[in-house]
Amino acid sequence: MRLLLAYPTKVGIFYIGQSTDGRFHPIFDNESLGSYAEAWLASEDLANDVTFSVLHPETGELLDTSTFGIPEDPTEWERV
């Protein structure tokens, strides 16, 4: 998995990566949160809490990613 984009939050850094098959993955705590044909679909679902479950890395608490201010537009993320 090649990391392309990063967005830091109060619970850690979220990434958008691309796998060898060309699919885009929102990633948190080294876990893929889904597989998408386009990077903007991955960032949009992450911004709106529509990915696989995201757990806090220390407490195991279920997180609502829509509360972290993650941009839907991948051009607003930092390039890795």
Side-chain angles (χ1 to χ4, degrees):
M1 181 85 58
R2 183 175 61 132
L3 298 179
L4 303 174
L5 304 169
Y7 193 82
T9 70
K10 64 183 180 183
V11 296
I13 301 174
F14 287 84
Y15 295 96
I16 300 293
Q18 189 173 29
S19 55
T20 56
D21 64 0
R23 305 280 296 178
F24 295 91
H25 301 259
I27 300 166
F28 181 70
D29 200 27
N30 294 319
E31 297 285 333
S32 172
L33 306 174
S35 176
Y36 299 85
E38 302 288 338
W40 69 269
L41 293 169
S43 59
E44 184 177 83
D45 275 7
L46 190 57
N48 293 300
D49 196 39
V50 190
T51 62
F52 295 152
S53 296
V54 179
L55 301 177
H56 191 286
E58 294 174 7
T59 67
E61 174 187 355
L62 186 62
L63 299 174
D64 179 350
T65 58
S66 69
T67 64
F68 299 129
I70 298 170
E72 291 183 17
D73 185 347
T75 64
E76 296 178 35
W77 290 52
E78 299 172 13
R79 291 193 176 274
V80 177

